[in-house]
Amino acid sequence: MLNFLKEFETKLGIKITCSQETEPLGTAGPLALARDKLVDDAGEPFFVLNSDVISEYPFKEMIEFHKSHGGEASLMVTKVDEPSKYGVVVMEESTGQVERFVEKPKLFVGNKINAGIYLLDPCVLERIQLRPTSIEKEVFPNIAAEKKLYAMVLPGFWMDVGQPRDYITGLRLYLDSLKKRSSPKLALGSHIVGNVIVDETAKIGEGCLIGPDVAIGPGCVIESGVRLSRCTVMRGVRVKKHACVSGSIIGWHSTVGQWARVENMTILGEDVHVCDEIYSNGGVVLPHKEIKSSILKPEIVM
């Protein structure tokens, strides 16, 4: 992960400082651990982001909202169809002032949930002890009780991408949002169907059909006659001639053999090699494995 971040330091021309936990400290404890890195003389608020969600990030609008209400903390909320699966944020609609949180409600109390994007004043750190602590269950309810917590409804899409199936959904939503903004990142061509992104260093052979909802990473080689749909192909992957990959995630530096068929939420870890003419139906394969026989039903291959 540190190497991955170093790449972005250079690319974006910024300094990235890592604060590393030696023991898990929950969702608030790490902020206490990084206190000296977050507080400066300016007393400016700072963002806290959950790294397993994907959305549009309206930072400017959130800063304006935060300044306008004068509270200690702002959080983004998103509307969901099934609020009973989440913790619901009950708020005053006109001002955005948060009244309370209801964990997995049995009765309908609202449809807005915490989107995992916060803007906090430095004084919030005084409420957090250096121990395993939950920001959602311990810190925010206390700020809300003092009427100093405000919520803003997140425009656009949102998805928790912590599970493979949700990751594929998140990719679709992200690509949809690129399409709506007519982004130049989307690939074009007679071999592309729907929304697709292809890294500029990837190579694609003749007669392929790619899309919808596909992401192809750096240094990938997609040989001729390959069919890809609803999948992510990570850095350095080779997909050999006439293979078909759908609804799956192909991990770094893996290969998919000729005429192989990989589908139904198959997940290949790093450096996995699927031999020619193999079928995988929902196999979850741990790193550094060679798959010589077909996986006929969803299972974990260790």
Side-chain angles (χ1 to χ4, degrees), residues 46-112:
F46 55 88
F47 284 101
V48 177
L49 312 171
N50 283 3
S51 60
D52 59 355
V53 301
I54 187 166
S55 69
E56 289 169 24
Y57 291 94
F59 292 135
K60 282 199 178 85
E61 294 89 329
M62 196 171 185
I63 291 169
E64 283 163 17
F65 173 73
H66 186 75
K67 284 178 176 164
S68 72
H69 65 63
E72 281 184 19
S74 301
L75 78 152
M76 282 279 182
V77 292
T78 185
K79 292 177 181 172
V80 290
D81 295 334
E82 284 187 65
S84 61
K85 292 188 344 198
Y86 303 92
V88 172
V89 180
V90 181
M91 56 191 263
E92 161 59 52
E93 291 297 323
S94 56
T95 61
Q97 189 178 326
V98 175
E99 294 167 8
R100 61 199 166 98
F101 295 85
V102 184
E103 198 54 43
K104 297 184 177 165
K106 297 277 182 283
L107 298 170
F108 185 84
V109 289
N111 65 343
K112 296 182 191 73

